[in-house]
Amino acid sequence: QVQLVESGGGLVQAGGSLRLSCVASGIIFSINVMGWYRQAPGNQRELVAEITGRGATDYADSVKGRFTISRDNAKNTVYLQMNSLKPEDTAVYYCTVMGLRPNPWGQGTLVTVSS
């Protein structure tokens, strides 16, 4: 059974930074593409960034140059470093295993950016 536990969210002022973490279990972590999604109130869940087992990355246009996804395969953990945060980044952030259907989800971690 896949389990995902996100952490690191919080309240931050615009321009600030946060680092999110997601610990995965129940999978062979190193071979899986991992992704970060976010869902703002009233909006659909959207893909923010993804990373392959070997470290190739891709980002939504809205976060390019500000967010960095990384992973530590020895710790079964994927990270999302978020810099230059904007109020529109406010959302619940979730990680997932991109290749599994349905996508497994953790409880998410709330990021609130104040202006």
Side-chain angles (χ1 to χ4, degrees):
Q1 181 180 359
V2 180
Q3 288 192 317
L4 302 165
V5 180
E6 301 96 338
S7 62
L11 173 63
V12 64
Q13 288 189 332
S17 298
L18 283 174
R19 189 195 196 203
L20 307 183
S21 300
C22 170
V23 180
S25 60
I27 58 170
I28 303 174
F29 182 80
S30 61
I31 65 172
N32 277 280
V33 179
M34 299 297 295
W36 281 99
Y37 279 73
R38 66 185 179 186
Q39 187 167 20
N43 289 0
Q44 289 188 331
R45 198 167 294 189
E46 63 174 354
L47 179 62
V48 174
E50 59 185 316
I51 184 168
T52 70
R54 294 189 175 186
T57 58
D58 197 17
Y59 298 91
D61 287 343
S62 59
V63 306
K64 279 181 181 176
R66 300 189 298 121
F67 290 10
T68 303
I69 189 171
S70 61
R71 64 193 295 160
D72 185 337
N73 288 338
K75 296 182 178 179
N76 282 15
T77 302
V78 60
Y79 304 98
L80 187 68
Q81 177 68 44
M82 306 186 295
N83 298 329
S84 302
L85 282 161
K86 305 175 181 181
E88 51 263 44
D89 295 318
T90 295
V92 178
Y93 285 71
Y94 302 88
C95 71
T96 193
V97 185
M98 298 296 289
L100 296 182
R101 292 292 182 271
N103 286 113
W105 302 104
Q107 82 288 350
T109 186
L110 176 63
V111 172
T112 304
V113 184
S114 63
S115 56

